[in-house]
Amino acid sequence: MQQDIERVLITEEQIREKIKELGAQISEDFRGKDLVVVGILKGAALFCADLFRAISIPAELDFMRITSYGAATKSTGVHRVLLDLDYTLEGRHVLIVEDIVDTGLTIKFLKEYLSQRGPASLSVAALLDKPSRRKVEVTIDYRGFEVPDFFVVGMGLDYAEKYRNLRDICILKPEIYKS
Ligand code: IMP
């Protein structure tokens, strides 16, 4: 795996510290509220697991899985829900947890989809934000790190299902995804 990596962009230690901060902020903001944390599979599974443990108030955990049609390194904005939530969202505070916001199309789709279920509020936490590639405006309420326009892997993020178990956020050598 390591030979496919150009360099480390964000270390495991930096990620750990940031998740601690985000968890503390979320706990403060949702204290006394009925919070449902929704992790988006598969990319956000690892971030969501760590963030959920950094939240110190009562909260429920659920997952969704959606597919986006298009090439492996591009998002098209056309999505299909493969796994939906178990619980009702009516009147509850929902926190969507994503790995990375790139074009913003996935978050836009999710917000529209989930808002139809009458939540009291809908917020977004994303480990990474790649604003240079945005196609639609989205608000990220809890943001880990801004990243430049490189294809990154690790901490749940993949290329062709590989590299999710790298502990740092790493820049993949372009020849890997261009070949
Ligand atoms: P968006 O809809 O363009 O914002 O894309 C969001 C999804 O694209 C993320 O949940 C990732 O699965 C994937 N993605 C975008 N950029 C990267 C990247 O640099 N590495 C790995 N996956 C990425």
Side-chain angles (χ1 to χ4, degrees), residues 75 98-100 102-106 130 150-152 157-158:
S75 180
E98 250 295 35
D99 51 358
I100 184 167
D102 185 26
T103 62
L105 292 167
T106 302
K130 213 191 270 182
F150 291 112
F151 197 79
V152 291
L157 289 110
D158 76 311

Side-chain angles (χ1 to χ4, degrees), residues 26 30-40 48 51-52 55 57-64 84-97 114 117-125 142:
I26 291 164
F30 291 95
R31 196 169 301 281
K33 294 181 175 162
D34 182 12
L35 175 64
V36 186
V37 174
V38 177
I40 308 305
C48 188
L51 184 65
F52 193 66
I55 295 173
I57 57 167
E60 282 180 23
L61 177 63
D62 209 343
F63 291 97
M64 283 184 75
D84 214 328
L85 301 174
D86 290 337
Y87 309 118
T88 172
L89 299 181
E90 189 76 43
R92 312 183 74 190
H93 295 270
V94 176
L95 177 66
I96 301 169
V97 179
L114 294 177
R117 303 195 186 172
S121 73
L122 208 45
S123 315
V124 175
Y142 305 96

Side-chain angles (χ1 to χ4, degrees), residues 1-9 73 149-154 157-160 162-163 166 169-178:
M1 258 190 324
Q2 292 298 338
Q3 72 273 13
D4 299 346
I5 299 308
E6 189 144 292
R7 67 183 167 91
V8 170
L9 189 62
T73 59
D149 187 11
F150 291 112
F151 197 79
V152 291
V153 292
L157 289 110
D158 76 311
Y159 173 67
K162 282 172 75 183
Y163 316 105
L166 290 172
I169 300 287
C170 304
I171 297 176
L172 196 59
K173 286 183 180 162
E175 60 260 36
I176 301 297
Y177 56 88
K178 283 181 180 151

